[in-house]
Amino acid sequence: MSFAADLLQGKRAIVTGGATGIGAHIVRRLGLLGAKVGIVSRKEENLQAAVNAFAADDGIEVLYRVGDVRAEDSVQSATQSLAEEMGGIDILVCNAAGNFICPTEELSPNGWRTVIDIDLNGTFHCCQAALPHLKQANDGGRIIAISTTQANSGWPTAAHAGAAKAGIQNLMKSLAAEWGPYGIRANWISPGPIKGTEGVDRLIIAQGRSDEVLERIPLGTFGDGEDIANAVVYLASPTGKYVSGTEIAVDGAARWGRS
Ligand code: COA
């Protein structure tokens, strides 16, 4: 790790969907750099297992609350309660997401609604709930949404998730403008395919699409969870203080077509 070990000392972060996948990499990196971190997701067994692993493997104490980002009340109470226990919130990472492969022709209205609800509405709920706390952040609050490069190109067979993520990107631009005067920076990171995630395991490898996808990545490999965590640290720490309303693509220069 090449960041100063105390870079995030005194910072307090919430990471939604922080028990698994990219979210867990982000939590680990924030915690190892000194931040207090609280994670929120739907399944207590995942949260408990993750918190135990963070303690045993990394020596970091992570807090958790059960919450569904789709439900405004659930987000409000998890956010409020974590803010009280941590003494505030400086960093919000909107990482929780839901997705599945389905040709749009076959997608039911409820399937569409479910993904929009988790990804886009969930991000809105989390930003609203964190706002009063982010306004009080010492060096300016940071909102970092985890998007995807396919929000820019279109996402055939996951149009629901592509549309939701494109909405998240636009939301970040609006928040950067509206909440900038509160000192809040709002940005998004667009990962390409990242090893060991549902996005690669279930949506690419299990569909037999690895070679086809790797051919479109000039750097010739899938990314690591740490690549995304490092981009989060850049945006969350003083290094990112003049960056707002924009994207950091961490995708090996992937080319998905029109964007
Ligand atoms: N293909 C087509 N439609 C699907 C589907 C699939 N693979 N998976 C879910 N849906 C549809 C359901 O049929 C339902 O619509 P219907 O009522 O018209 O039948 C709707 O989506 C809601 O599904 P349900 O399973 O009730 O929702 P849920 O809230 O329990 O879970 C997800 C929704 C997205 C979280 C679920 O698909 C899931 O668990 N995905 C795996 C985890 C994940 O997404 N991780 C992130 C990867 S990037």
Side-chain angles (χ1 to χ4, degrees):
M1 188 189 308
S2 45
F3 295 106
D6 61 351
L7 184 65
L8 297 175
Q9 201 72 45
K11 301 290 181 201
R12 300 138 308 178
I14 289 183
V15 181
T16 64
T20 55
I22 287 174
H25 284 278
I26 295 169
V27 171
R28 185 172 299 113
R29 180 53 54 94
L30 296 179
L32 287 171
L33 293 173
K36 279 188 206 169
V37 189
I39 60 178
V40 180
S41 71
R42 278 191 299 164
K43 296 183 185 150
E44 180 142 30
E45 63 270 26
N46 288 354
L47 288 161
Q48 190 64 64
V51 163
N52 292 343
F54 292 133
D57 303 341
D58 309 297
I60 54 176
E61 188 191 335
V62 171
L63 306 172
Y64 78 80
R65 297 291 184 278
V66 176
D68 186 336
V69 294
R70 287 173 276 197
E72 186 187 338
D73 291 352
S74 160
V75 171
Q76 279 287 351
S77 66
T79 303
Q80 184 60 34
S81 144
L82 280 173
E84 280 167 20
E85 190 166 348
M86 297 193 295
I89 304 170
D90 303 283
I91 302 159
L92 169 67
V93 183
C94 297
N95 166 75
N99 194 12
F100 50 80
I101 294 293
C102 182
T104 308
E105 192 173 357
E106 294 161 24
L107 184 64
S108 73
N110 195 36
W112 169 270
R113 200 160 34 235
T114 299
V115 171
I116 298 289
D117 216 9
I118 299 171
D119 295 15
L120 179 56
N121 297 343
T123 298
F124 167 73
H125 295 149
C126 292
C127 292
Q128 284 276 35
L131 176 61
H133 309 286
L134 293 171
K135 282 181 176 175
Q136 308 297 324
N138 291 333
D139 304 313
R142 308 295 166 97
I143 299 172
I144 300 157
I146 305 302
S147 181
T148 171
T149 47
Q150 281 151 310
N152 303 317
S153 62
W155 198 349
T157 72
H160 39 311
K165 297 286 193 177
I168 289 171
Q169 297 187 176
N170 200 277
L171 174 63
M172 290 303 117
K173 290 185 202 175
S174 299
L175 297 188
E178 290 188 36
W179 296 356
Y182 301 134
I184 295 171
R185 285 76 164 167
N187 294 290
W188 67 97
I189 294 168
S190 294
I194 301 297
K195 278 179 230 158
T197 60
E198 291 241 358
V200 164
D201 292 348
R202 195 163 52 88
L203 306 186
I204 296 176
I205 296 174
Q207 315 276 326
R209 298 181 53 235
S210 295
D211 290 347
E212 170 210 330
V213 171
L214 285 170
E215 268 174 22
R216 291 164 169 256
I217 303 177
L219 290 181
T221 180
F222 295 133
D224 294 313
E226 289 203 350
D227 297 324
I228 308 306
N230 288 334
V232 170
V233 172
Y234 167 70
L235 290 173
S237 68
T239 53
K241 75 179 171 49
Y242 201 53
V243 179
S244 196
T246 197
E247 170 176 71
I248 297 187
V250 183
D251 67 347
R255 293 166 294 118
W256 304 132
R258 196 180 306 173
S259 63

